[in-house]
């Protein structure tokens, strides 16, 4: 399981790098055509918008996996022992449940609806179902990562907070 997760992490990391590179090229092209050529390219704004959707949602799964997401750790810092273990189970189970209901179920419904209605984007003329397909994909990744965290807690191999957060002091 660990090897599969490492491969998914590596692939997801590279997908994020490629999407960010495409976004940078797209925005540079948009600025160039608007201010240098005097006529903005018609499709670049739409590409940037859709790339931001994909980067935001896949990035949230990536950040959750790396334990770099925004979190309220007040209670988890106050408890120890079995309570900390059960709190970890509870938190990751809630995250998995939310991801399932909102991202997988809700996202799948949105993808299905836009597919059936044959909605296409204005400039690119691509089906919006392709754009929205990142919702169930990121939800599935977050659920997979939540299960991995729960298994790590059970095995006693959990890292409670990222090392960077321990060294940062309030200014």
């Amino acid at each position: 399981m660990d090897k599969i997760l490492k491969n998914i992490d590596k692939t997801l990391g590279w997908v994020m790098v490629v999407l960010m590179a495409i976004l940078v090229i797209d925005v540079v092209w948009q600025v160039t055509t608007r201010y240098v050529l005097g006529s903005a390219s018609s499709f670049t704004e739409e590409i940037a918008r859709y790339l931001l959707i994909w980067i935001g949602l896949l990035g949230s799964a990536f950040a959750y996996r790396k334990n770099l997401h925004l979190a309220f750790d007040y209670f988890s810092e106050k408890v120890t022992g079995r309570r900390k273990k059960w709190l970890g189970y509870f938190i990751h189970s809630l995250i998995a449940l939310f991801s399932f209901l909102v991202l997988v179920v809700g996202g799948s419904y949105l993808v299905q609806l836009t597919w059936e209605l044959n909605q296409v984007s204005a400039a690119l003329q691509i089906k919006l179902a392709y754009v929205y397909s990142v919702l169930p994909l990121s939800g599935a990744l977050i659920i997979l990562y939540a299960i991995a965290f729960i298994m790590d807690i059970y095995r006693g191999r959990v890292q409670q907070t990222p090392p960077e957060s321990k060294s940062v002091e309030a200014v």
Side-chain angles (χ1 to χ4, degrees):
M1 176 83 169
D2 289 338
K3 188 174 182 176
I4 293 169
L5 286 173
K6 283 183 182 182
N7 287 334
I8 291 172
D9 294 345
K10 194 176 207 178
T11 303
L12 184 57
W14 277 107
V15 166
M16 296 293 297
V17 167
V18 169
L19 291 177
M20 284 297 294
I22 293 170
L23 179 63
V24 168
I25 292 167
D26 177 64
V27 171
V28 167
W29 179 253
Q30 183 177 20
V31 169
T32 303
T33 58
R34 181 177 305 246
Y35 293 108
V36 175
L37 303 177
S39 176
S41 183
S42 62
F43 61 89
T44 53
E45 183 181 341
E46 206 167 84
I47 289 175
R49 187 179 319 125
Y50 297 153
L51 284 172
L52 279 173
I53 292 170
W54 275 71
I55 290 167
L57 287 164
L58 290 177
S60 66
F62 190 75
Y64 176 59
R65 173 64 176 159
K66 300 298 182 188
N67 206 13
L68 297 172
H69 54 86
L70 179 65
F72 295 107
D73 59 356
Y74 178 77
F75 294 113
S76 63
E77 295 294 324
K78 296 288 182 191
V79 297
T80 58
R82 287 186 53 178
R83 287 186 178 170
K84 189 171 196 113
K85 189 176 186 177
W86 283 104
L87 183 61
Y89 288 145
F90 179 71
I91 289 169
H92 293 297
S93 297
L94 278 180
I95 291 170
L97 179 65
F98 177 83
S99 296
F100 177 73
L101 293 175
V102 174
L103 295 173
V104 175
V105 174
S108 296
Y109 176 74
L110 180 63
V111 169
Q112 179 187 1
L113 184 64
T114 55
W115 189 268
E116 288 173 358
L117 295 175
N118 201 26
Q119 291 182 335
V120 294
S121 66
L124 296 173
Q125 294 297 305
I126 62 170
K127 288 185 177 272
L128 288 178
Y130 296 134
V131 175
Y132 298 144
S133 64
V134 73
L135 287 163
L137 174 63
S138 65
L141 286 170
I142 291 172
I143 292 168
L144 176 69
Y145 291 148
I147 292 169
F149 279 128
I150 290 170
M151 289 172 55
D152 284 347
I153 292 170
Y154 180 75
R155 294 178 186 146
R157 305 186 311 183
V158 68
Q159 179 184 357
Q160 296 298 332
T161 55
E164 302 86 35
S165 69
K166 293 285 186 188
S167 63
V168 177
E169 294 182 17
V171 177

